[in-house]
């Protein structure tokens, strides 16, 4: 298609949930076991071609450590899409994800396309968060829900494709 859509996207979520790893997997096709914590924020770009449009993603990967919390509004305020990430092996990160959802709903762009992402599905044997609970929460909040693994690449392209499709519709 000839339509070009600019997609400013922000990744939010607790530290260590895999935000940088999801971006690296999507943009570079790489995964690092010892991914360093993000300082402030990191920036990636990627172009995704759909039948109906070409979506140019500007991806802001925020730092999950609490000391960077005050920077987050700079990244989510103008964002067309927000991905809130938790780690299926850590209940605390799911609780933190809900806080991010509330914050973006209150202070973000009212038309933001939001996704709740259950990352690290390869750690299923250590699972603390049941999908059913997260899926229900996502549904109640009008969010897309996806299970991913940045490590195995499970559903990572699919996640960005689904967001691109929704952005192309607006
Ligand atoms: P902050 O920058 O501190 O906010 O962290 P982050 O959310 O960007 O997490 P990051 O991508 O740095 O990943 C944290 C750790 O989890 C790293 O050691 C990654 O290798 C690991 N990790 C990320 N995604 C996955 C995954 O899908 N499966 C597994 N097993 N490990 C993962």
């Amino acid at each position: 298609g000839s339509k070009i859509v600019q997609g400013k996207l922000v990744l939010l979520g607790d530290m260590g949930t895999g935000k940088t790893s999801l971006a690296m997997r999507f943009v570079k096709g790489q995964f690092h076991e010892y991914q360093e914590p993000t300082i402030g924020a990191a920036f990636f770009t990627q172009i995704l071609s759909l039948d109906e449009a070409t979506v140019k993603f500007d991806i802001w990967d925020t730092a999950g450590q609490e000391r960077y919390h005050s920077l987050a509004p700079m990244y989510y305020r103008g964002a067309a899409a927000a991905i809130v990430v938790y780690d299926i092996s850590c209940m605390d990160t799911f609780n933190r994800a809900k806080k991010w959802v509330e914050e973006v709903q209150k202070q973000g762009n009212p038309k933001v396309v939001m996704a709740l992402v259950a990352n690290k599905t390869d750690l299923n044997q250590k699972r603390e968060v049941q999908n059913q609970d997260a899926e229900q929460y996502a549904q109640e909040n009008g969010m897309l829900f996806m299970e991913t693994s940045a490590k195995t690449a499970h559903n990572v392209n699919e996640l960005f494709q689904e967001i691109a499709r929704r952005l192309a519709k607006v």
Side-chain angles (χ1 to χ4, degrees):
S2 56
K3 186 172 160 190
I4 295 176
V5 178
Q6 282 288 347
K8 185 182 166 189
L9 182 149
V10 64
L11 284 155
L12 299 166
D14 206 349
M15 59 186 208
T17 52
K19 298 178 294 300
T20 303
S21 299
L22 287 165
M24 289 277 278
R25 172 59 79 189
F26 174 56
V27 173
K28 299 189 178 167
Q30 295 174 357
F31 175 77
H32 303 289
E33 287 288 344
Y34 301 102
Q35 184 63 52
E36 302 268 318
T38 302
I39 311 236
F43 181 67
F44 299 84
T45 63
Q46 178 66 298
I47 295 176
L48 219 161
S49 293
L50 305 171
D51 289 338
E52 61 271 32
T54 298
V55 178
K56 291 183 164 181
F57 279 114
D58 279 347
I59 302 172
W60 287 100
D61 166 27
T62 65
Q65 290 176 52
E66 190 49 40
R67 69 179 114 152
Y68 299 113
H69 187 174
S70 62
L71 298 178
M74 286 203 301
Y75 302 104
Y76 66 67
R77 269 194 199 124
I83 297 178
V84 180
V85 184
Y86 70 90
D87 169 352
I88 66 151
S89 71
C90 178
M91 183 56 83
D92 281 349
T93 68
F94 180 52
N95 292 328
R96 187 73 192 87
K98 292 183 194 171
K99 296 280 173 214
W100 277 119
V101 173
E102 286 166 24
E103 182 172 335
V104 175
Q105 283 174 342
K106 264 192 211 143
Q107 298 181 58
N109 162 13
K111 289 186 182 162
V112 68
V113 170
M114 271 217 270
L116 181 63
V117 167
N119 191 40
K120 308 199 188 182
T121 54
D122 58 288
L123 299 180
N124 197 39
Q125 74 286 359
K126 292 187 188 165
R127 180 185 286 276
E128 286 185 6
V129 185
Q130 295 309 316
N131 265 344
Q132 220 182 341
D133 298 335
E135 212 167 345
Q136 189 184 336
Y137 179 81
Q139 210 167 43
E140 285 166 2
N141 287 277
M143 302 171 78
L144 168 69
F145 175 72
M146 286 280 242
E147 281 194 284
T148 62
S149 169
K151 184 170 179 172
T152 68
H154 174 67
N155 265 349
V156 177
N157 286 338
E158 289 79 355
L159 166 67
F160 286 92
Q161 252 166 36
E162 188 50 41
I163 290 172
R165 260 186 227 114
R166 293 185 185 204
L167 291 176
K169 269 189 203 157
V170 186

